[in-house]
Amino acid sequence: MLTPTESAALVLIVEDEFLIANDLGDILEGAGYRVVGLAESGTQARALVNEARPSVVLLDIFLKGAETGIELAHWLNQQRIPFVFLSANLSDDVLAAAKVTEPYGFLNKPFRERDVLAALEIARYRHAHSQEAKLRQQQQTQMAVNEAIASLHDREQLCRAIATQVNQFVPIDVLNLCLSQPEEQIFYWLLLRRTPQGTFERVRLPQLLGPDTPAERLSMLAHPMAADPGERQGIFTGAAFEVLGQEFSMARAINEAFGIQSMAFFPVALQQRTFTSLQLGTTAAAGFTAEDYAAISLIMPQIALALDNLLAYEALETQRQFKAAELAVASAFRNGRDMADIAPQVASVISELLPIDLLSFYRVGRVLGSTSVMDATVGKQDGRFHLLPLDSLPLPESAAEREQAVAAMEPALLKPTLNVGEAATQASELNAVTRYYRDLLQLKSSMYVPITLKAQPVAVLVVASKAAYAFTSKDLQVLQELANQLAGSLENLLAYERIRRLSEQLEQEKTYLSEELKTSHNFEEIIGTSPALLSVLRGVGQVAPTDATVLLLGETGTGKELIARAVHNRSGRAARTMVKVNCAALPPQLMESELFGHEKGSYTGATERRVGKFELAHGSTLFLDEIGELPLELQAKLLRVLQEKEIERLGGKGPLKVDVRIIAATNRELATEVAAGRFRADLYYRLNVFPLVLPPLRTRPDDLLPLATYFLRKLSQKLGKPFTSIANTSLQQIQAYAWPGNIRELENVLERAAILSAPPTLVLAEPLVAGPAPRSEVKPMEDTMRDTILAALTQTNYRIRGPRGAAVLLGVKATTLEARMKKLGIATRKESRAE
């Protein structure tokens, strides 16, 4: 039992008859209660309650003044203060009005002390236990919501759990959750309605507004701004609810559909930046009370925590689904051969993220009606995506008209675009292609994003849905992120397509070239099939059967000797051995003897007769390598041999007829040498009958791998090391290097690597780095002067005097020039003829 001392009970007496109020005060104070005041009116009572909140109020029903005891009782109920009515004679109407206020007891005048104390004790007991019951109910509701937090990660299931628990505490007929994340471009609302069985079911737009609702009304209510409650909070009943219906279309809709008369708005504060509102509605005319609002507010922290967990789970699930989609798309591209195989798989993957009914890959710059590895369109039929044939498109028959039709559509596809509502209608009327797919699948919304490679759009990803508002700006961002991931896969697909086509082309070329080489270009150790090399080989095939002089031009190490042997071996002189002379390997004083031979005793040290290379090459081919290094004096003698077809040994008694085919080679620019006077013009024209320019290795990248493979086999046999391959890093260096030394440098580099490497893989001994630029050759002054005079004489045909003589060309007197020629040992025309 509660006692005044235990509870420190405070009592307020509201009685307009002073004697009765005073007697009550004496009774209570005698029993240990503390009387906080005596009030004669409702105004005084409110003031005393604000000063000191009483534990219980003794309230006269028939107060005098503007406010009756029943009116004051309603206010005490809102303040959750228990009260006991004091009355004399009660009519039935007054009693009924008094019961509505839910008093904690009645005391009839006149009072007995025992009745007063008993009534107070019962009132306090009932109030204490009713508060305890409400607290327990709140705790149960909080526990139930907490259980929903732990077990539910679905929007609809979580809202149903919240609605069920709130309904047990405060009767509700609808629950609506509006959640908006502007930064994440996420918005949704979820409306639940209580069924006659007491459960809650979800209400969607057609059910809410009816099947005959115009599309404009559906789109308006589906729009985030239409369903956004803003920052409203509190209870809306009566006139306030009518104003709410005018401003908030969702409130008007549920009033019209379900007869809702009152709504309570609760803003929900979440950890993330959101605009979230929980809205409850009831069909009761009285609507929600302040006590109801306060009670539900107690469980809002649990609801907020539940929604925070839901958003966090949805974010993780979205990320997981996106990563899974990336992997699935990559797998589809890795396993698919072309877009016809890949597109249905990609559409199935994307449909897990977005509600799509069509997916299309469009290759930028191609007509849709033409075949392309990149073009494919799939549509959803019977729950699965199937390839839609392109030949059924209603495009013009003319190729020009087809290109024009697609060209009109292409600019719009090259920027990320979201088409919903009216925008989707306009986009579907773009041309015959969009109209065809719209009518075929009843499409009402679409999105498309370009797929770029190296900052250039190569394809467009298009998705569409039968729903009018299927996509949001957030969905467009998701599609863009997916398109960025698709870029790598498409690049691989394009590379695979290029490789396949090139392989087919190379296979055809290989077959052709193999037959061609077998029949007309069997050039032994000449490795390579590059266009530049094949051009040289064709020239070899043309000139070889003749006896024409061949001039081989090209950088050092380009294989001029091999080409010379090829010309010889395919000529009529192949039965004889080709003779080679390196004009740069011998000193000038010995070169004449090497070429033409000498008789015994012709000069000091000539102890026996020597046959020259021209004589040795009779009936065969003479290969004059590095012809540009031949001294000017010997150039004149060589010219005579080429003209007269006869030679004369040093110390010999007469000329010897020779039948020799000349193949000359040099890495110098002979035309430049002629202009500089270092090479005789008449000899150059005699040699330059059939020039062949050998390409440097840097212009033959296709031949690097075959050459390296050939040298690898050759070195394996030479060194006795079973090399089977070259390391990838080494191959990359080989292909990236400029090879200033050409094939000779390549062979030497590989030989050094073979010596230092262990089988079976050859690794370069050191990185390939371009060497320093060669220094210009510095000659002695007398040699430079000699070369200049000889050049002048060559240009003037050895004329010294006169306006066209060499003296005028050199800017010196004729006598001075003759003196210097004599000093340098340069013969004049007469002396040259006499010799």
Side-chain angles (χ1 to χ4, degrees):
M1 176 182 292
L2 296 171
T3 64
T5 303
E6 291 172 347
S7 61
L10 303 179
V11 180
L12 173 63
I13 301 173
V14 185
E15 172 61 61
D16 54 6
E17 294 185 22
F18 176 75
L19 293 178
I20 296 175
N22 191 50
D23 289 343
L24 287 172
D26 292 341
I27 293 172
L28 295 176
E29 289 178 353
Y33 286 95
R34 179 184 172 189
V35 178
V36 297
L38 302 176
E40 296 181 354
S41 65
T43 303
Q44 290 179 2
R46 294 174 189 270
L48 290 172
V49 168
N50 291 332
E51 291 177 3
R53 183 180 178 88
S55 303
V56 67
V57 177
L58 295 177
L59 176 60
D60 188 4
I61 294 179
F62 300 103
L63 284 178
K64 295 178 181 179
E67 189 174 18
T68 66
I70 293 177
E71 293 173 345
L72 182 59
H74 284 295
W75 182 79
L76 291 173
N77 258 331
Q78 294 177 0
Q79 304 303 314
R80 298 184 181 179
I81 299 174
F83 59 89
V84 176
F85 274 132
L86 305 175
S87 63
N89 297 315
L90 293 177
S91 64
D92 292 339
D93 294 339
V94 174
L95 181 60
K99 288 181 178 180
V100 171
T101 64
E102 298 181 354
Y104 285 78
F106 287 88
L107 282 173
N108 292 319
K109 302 175 182 178
F111 311 114
R112 293 184 299 177
E113 181 178 352
R114 183 178 61 183
D115 295 336
V116 173
L117 296 177
L120 285 177
E121 186 176 347
I122 293 171
R124 291 174 58 215
Y125 179 85
R126 288 182 55 200
H127 178 69
H129 283 76
S130 66
Q131 292 299 320
E132 182 180 350
K134 289 183 178 179
L135 181 59
R136 284 198 303 269
Q137 193 171 14
Q138 291 173 4
Q139 292 176 343
Q140 291 174 356
T141 303
Q142 291 173 345
M143 291 177 62
V145 174
N146 285 333
E147 290 178 2
I149 294 172
S151 60
L152 300 178
H153 294 108
D154 179 79
R155 301 175 188 175
E156 185 172 339
Q157 292 180 5
L158 179 59
C159 289
R160 283 183 178 178
I162 294 174
T164 300
Q165 298 303 321
V166 170
N167 184 62
Q168 294 177 4
F169 192 52
V170 175
I172 60 173
D173 292 294
V174 296
L175 179 145
N176 186 42
L177 176 67
C178 291
L179 191 148
S180 174
Q181 292 179 273
E183 294 179 355
E184 297 295 326
Q185 297 186 349
I186 295 175
F187 170 84
Y188 61 81
W189 59 267
L190 195 150
L191 179 63
L192 300 178
R193 175 196 179 192
R194 188 175 68 177
T195 66
Q197 292 76 25
T199 60
F200 285 86
E201 66 178 4
R202 184 171 184 179
V203 179
R204 303 184 185 273
L205 280 180
Q207 183 182 357
L208 177 64
L209 302 180
D212 300 329
T213 305
E216 293 77 10
R217 180 77 188 279
L218 288 173
S219 62
M220 179 187 68
L221 197 57
H223 196 276
M225 295 302 296
D228 185 4
E231 298 182 356
R232 296 182 179 89
Q233 59 179 324
I235 301 172
F236 298 86
T237 305
F241 184 72
E242 293 180 1
V243 174
L244 176 68
Q246 296 174 1
E247 299 175 351
F248 184 38
S249 58
M250 180 66 73
R252 183 170 67 255
I254 62 176
N255 170 258
E256 296 171 355
F258 308 129
I260 298 300
Q261 300 296 320
S262 175
M263 293 191 72
F265 282 63
F266 299 88
V268 185
L270 303 182
Q271 293 180 359
Q272 304 183 45
R273 185 176 179 272
T274 64
F275 298 97
T276 306
S277 173
L278 183 68
Q279 305 150 24
L280 307 177
T282 179
T283 57
F288 295 107
T289 65
E291 185 176 1
D292 295 334
Y293 195 90
I296 297 174
S297 297
L298 294 176
I299 63 172
M300 291 310 299
Q302 280 71 30
I303 295 176
L305 181 58
L307 292 174
D308 273 325
N309 288 349
L310 176 65
L311 290 177
Y313 175 82
E314 288 181 344
L316 290 175
E317 183 65 15
T318 299
Q319 188 67 17
R320 185 197 65 78
Q321 291 179 351
F322 185 79
K323 291 298 181 184
E326 285 183 346
L327 293 175
V329 169
S331 177
F333 274 91
R334 184 169 58 251
N335 299 326
R337 292 173 299 176
D338 53 34
M339 197 58 71
D341 296 330
I342 297 170
Q345 301 178 51
V346 175
S348 298
V349 172
I350 296 181
S351 66
E352 299 293 329
L353 300 176
L354 305 172
I356 66 171
D357 295 292
L358 174 138
L359 180 140
S360 179
F361 284 99
Y362 163 60
R363 174 77 176 274
V364 173
R366 284 192 180 258
V367 178
L368 283 177
S370 64
T371 58
S372 168
V373 71
M374 289 296 297
D375 290 333
T377 300
V378 293
K380 195 173 187 179
Q381 298 173 346
D382 301 327
R384 297 183 62 185
F385 286 93
H386 302 276
L387 191 67
L388 300 179
L390 297 177
D391 52 9
S392 60
L393 288 176
L395 292 175
E397 295 182 1
S398 165
E401 291 178 338
R402 285 199 304 270
E403 292 178 2
Q404 184 177 2
V406 177
M409 178 178 65
E410 190 168 288
L413 298 177
L414 295 182
K415 58 182 178 180
T417 305
L418 168 66
N419 295 316
V420 293
E422 183 62 28
T425 303
Q426 297 176 0
S428 65
E429 292 291 342
L430 192 60
N431 66 1
V433 177
T434 56
R435 289 193 297 270
Y436 170 77
Y437 285 127
R438 177 200 64 189
D439 298 338
L440 179 66
L441 299 176
Q442 301 299 309
L443 302 175
K444 297 181 180 178
S445 57
S446 63
M447 293 189 297
Y448 31 82
V449 293
I451 303 173
T452 59
L453 289 176
K454 299 178 181 179
Q456 294 295 325
V458 296
V460 179
L461 175 61
V462 182
V463 297
S465 175
K466 296 179 180 179
Y469 289 86
F471 309 119
T472 64
S473 300
K474 180 66 175 179
D475 296 330
L476 184 61
Q477 288 186 356
V478 171
L479 196 65
Q480 284 182 274
E481 293 177 9
L482 198 58
N484 294 335
Q485 299 298 324
L486 282 173
S489 299
L490 287 179
E491 185 175 19
N492 294 337
L493 182 65
L494 288 173
Y496 171 79
E497 177 66 11
R498 286 195 295 269
I499 291 172
R500 183 180 63 82
R501 291 183 178 178
L502 288 174
S503 297
E504 294 176 355
Q505 180 180 353
L506 289 174
E507 189 64 28
Q508 295 173 356
E509 292 180 357
K510 178 183 177 182
T511 303
Y512 167 76
L513 291 174
S514 297
E515 294 299 323
E516 186 73 11
L517 290 173
K518 288 178 183 178
T519 56
S520 58
H521 297 297
N522 186 14
F523 296 116
E524 298 141 352
E525 295 182 340
I526 299 177
I527 307 299
T529 57
S530 64
L533 180 61
L534 292 179
S535 176
V536 172
L537 297 183
R538 281 194 294 271
V540 170
Q542 292 169 343
V543 74
T546 70
D547 280 337
T549 301
V550 178
L551 179 61
L552 302 179
L553 303 171
E555 298 177 5
T556 181
T558 51
K560 293 187 284 292
E561 183 176 348
L562 284 178
I563 296 298
R565 292 189 182 279
V567 173
H568 170 71
N569 292 338
R570 291 187 56 79
S571 69
R573 303 172 182 262
R576 298 287 306 274
T577 302
M578 184 183 77
V579 178
K580 174 186 174 183
V581 177
N582 190 336
C583 299
L586 296 174
Q589 59 271 22
L590 297 181
M591 180 60 66
E592 183 175 0
S593 175
E594 182 74 11
L595 290 176
F596 309 117
H598 63 263
E599 296 291 345
K600 181 178 179 179
S602 59
Y603 59 89
T604 304
T607 58
E608 58 183 5
R609 193 181 74 168
R610 178 181 179 86
V611 177
K613 292 294 191 291
F614 269 91
E615 244 182 300
L616 189 64
H618 180 68
S620 183
T621 303
L622 179 63
F623 176 46
L624 299 176
D625 197 8
E626 303 297 345
I627 189 68
E629 305 294 332
L630 196 66
L632 280 171
E633 296 90 332
L634 284 180
Q635 292 179 21
K637 294 182 178 181
L638 177 61
L639 176 62
R640 178 173 177 273
V641 173
L642 297 179
Q643 291 175 342
E644 304 296 336
K645 302 293 185 182
E646 58 184 23
I647 63 168
E648 187 174 348
R649 298 192 192 107
L650 289 176
K653 298 180 180 179
L656 300 173
K657 290 287 184 179
V658 289
D659 177 19
V660 177
R661 181 188 191 168
I662 299 296
I663 300 178
T666 181
N667 56 12
R668 291 192 177 191
E669 292 287 343
L670 287 188
T672 304
E673 297 294 307
V674 170
R678 291 186 291 270
F679 200 86
R680 294 180 64 97
D682 44 5
L683 178 60
Y684 170 67
Y685 297 131
R686 173 66 66 178
L687 295 174
N688 196 34
V689 176
F690 195 90
L692 287 175
V693 180
L694 273 66
L697 192 54
R698 61 180 172 273
T699 65
R700 300 167 52 191
D702 297 338
D703 295 341
L704 280 170
L705 184 57
L707 283 168
T709 304
Y710 169 78
F711 288 133
L712 187 67
R713 292 196 300 266
K714 184 177 178 182
L715 291 170
S716 296
Q717 297 175 358
K718 177 180 178 181
L719 301 176
K721 290 186 175 182
F723 289 107
T724 58
S725 63
I726 302 175
N728 289 334
T729 55
S730 298
L731 277 178
Q732 292 174 0
Q733 292 185 59
I734 289 173
Q735 292 174 341
Y737 187 56
W739 298 109
N742 295 294
I743 301 173
R744 183 181 296 113
E745 182 184 8
L746 173 63
E747 183 177 12
N748 294 338
V749 166
L750 290 177
E751 183 171 5
R752 181 185 178 193
I755 294 171
L756 298 177
S757 298
T761 302
L762 183 142
V763 181
L764 293 182
E766 57 187 7
L768 294 175
V769 180
R775 296 181 180 180
S776 58
E777 182 181 1
V778 178
K779 294 183 178 181
M781 185 176 295
E782 288 188 1
D783 291 348
T784 303
M785 187 181 297
R786 177 188 180 87
D787 291 343
T788 304
I789 293 175
L790 286 173
L793 291 172
T794 300
Q795 291 187 29
T796 60
N797 199 18
Y798 273 69
R799 178 181 294 175
I800 298 175
R801 301 175 180 276
R804 296 183 181 180
V808 174
L809 186 63
L810 293 173
V812 297
K813 294 181 179 180
T815 55
T816 303
L817 177 59
E818 289 173 346
R820 289 185 180 177
M821 289 173 61
K822 185 176 182 181
K823 182 179 180 181
L824 295 173
I826 301 175
T828 62
R829 178 186 297 177
K830 293 181 180 179
E831 293 171 344
S832 177
R833 287 179 178 176
E835 181 182 357

